[in-house]
Amino acid sequence: MNKPLNSHQIKEEKAIVIGGGIAGLLTARVLSDYYQEVMIVERDDLPQEPSTRTGTPQAFHPHRILPRGSMIMERFFPGYIDDLLAQGAHPTQNEKMNLFTSYGSLEMFPPEKNASSSRALLEWTFRQRVQKISNIRFLSKQEVTGLQTSADHKQVTGVRIKERSKQKQERTVEADLVVDTSGRSSKLIKWLEFMGLEVPQPERLKVSLGYSTRYYRVPTHVKEKWGGVVSEAQPDKGIGTGMLGYIEDNMAQTLLFSAGGAHYPSTNPEEYEKELEALATPMLAEVVKELEPMSAPRGYRTPESVRQHFEQMENWPAGLLVVGDAFCSFDPIHGQGMTVAAIEAEMLSICLNEQQHTSRPNFERHVMQRMQEAIEPAWWLSSVADLRWKGVEHVGAEPLKGVSFAQKYFDLYVKQAVKLANEENNPAMFQEYFMMNSLILSPREIINPRKLNMLLTGDGSLEEKQLLAELGGVDEQQIQERLDELIPSFSLAFDEKTPNSFFSMSPSNMEA
């Protein structure tokens, strides 16, 4: 691509973003610092108020931004949480969250200012910010039908578009950079193959997941009595995840989730309520009895999560990038999608800033390689969790490292972390586990010889025996080498700035 000009120069380049969802809005925000004009091409007619777009069928279901994502979004959209709160989003600062694990329960109290909302309100809030940026414009109700390229297909020079629902002729819009953020419905692979390019086989996590969501009206006294509830899955027992959280306009969402394809949560109201009662904790069903159902449950299913490896293509065309679910899609239950899109957008910003000072050949491949390194922990952690379910399978050119070991390690870690929090009022271990799953700490901060030594107390527990069997009887001097064999390094995924705390916790005597 052309070298981006710095802020002291007249910007001449034009960038096109395919897709106006959250990944597209974040990407456009980043590009607006480097390009004279940024155009967002969106298939849907953009709503004039917070409402679900046709192109986001999953928007009915709960969405959340992990702390790592929130930090990045706050840098790109300062004060966005205040915007959400001003529009009626539910404040979560110091609100009790009841978490039920296989080894006991905890109460958590997030100290940071934050907000819980529907996907529609969240997207609306970001879009309002982006619409105020002078060099970004939206082209709605337009469908991208293909890429415009140079004669030798080595450079993408724009896109071909046509107005949706009309038989108007295609037209070409030229650009120096095209970024596909159109999500799981992306047609990019078809376009690349049309150009005569061979696309590497992606990694696939054949997860066969399903979840069902129901909305409720929340009486005032309920919020004062109950906080949010998360009942973690117990795949070995066939028990799925259940969650309850509050959003805007005195509404609550409940969600039921399972993976592996053996059972999908029901969308029948009566069956749905029974499945709530069958969770690992009865608390969620108790809360729901005090709520007023607003609609029947609605389901969503997807057969697989997919991680593309476009960065392996030596003939990847200049002027083309991919961000969001079109690059790597995740099991939504882990809440990683929007945060990963933010991480990718942040990496794009870093690379553009570097490029304006030192021009790098094959810039686009370099960006995608850096994004792959940045999202490695998210893909690995979600895969380790999902592969606990019978019927889930990972398919790729290389097997995932350390899955069985990590599952046993995390079992023992959570067991001791919950015990410390409840018996000694010391939540530090669980806090680090939370920060890892929030993509703030590297898994290597949890899985290392020092932590392993803390876990192996010699109490003869089943979890400890299983973990020792995975290690293969190595001695203390060989532990680091063995861990390096088992677990990815994640060395390029994190910087050294790690916040110290994101929530406070207290023990709970409730049985999980």
Side-chain angles (χ1 to χ4, degrees), residues 409-429:
Y409 190 100
F410 291 148
D411 284 344
L412 187 56
Y413 190 97
V414 171
K415 179 181 180 181
Q416 293 203 25
V418 171
K419 181 180 179 181
L420 275 175
N422 284 329
E423 294 183 6
E424 300 183 23
N425 197 25
N426 180 0
M429 274 188 71

Side-chain angles (χ1 to χ4, degrees), residues 204-275:
R204 299 182 185 275
L205 192 69
K206 297 186 176 182
V207 69
S208 299
L209 64 87
Y211 51 101
S212 295
T213 299
R214 194 174 195 186
Y215 281 69
Y216 300 83
R217 185 71 63 194
V218 183
T220 304
H221 74 277
V222 173
K223 282 187 182 180
E224 298 172 354
K225 180 179 178 183
W226 301 100
V229 183
V230 177
S231 178
E232 291 191 341
Q234 297 182 24
D236 57 325
K237 298 178 181 178
I239 299 174
T241 300
M243 300 193 319
L244 176 142
Y246 303 109
I247 56 173
E248 69 269 18
D249 300 327
N250 289 315
M251 291 189 295
Q253 295 171 315
T254 58
L255 176 141
L256 293 172
F257 163 88
S258 65
H263 169 76
Y264 292 109
S266 178
T267 56
N268 175 280
E270 292 183 1
E271 293 176 359
Y272 185 87
E273 302 297 328
K274 290 180 180 179
E275 291 181 13

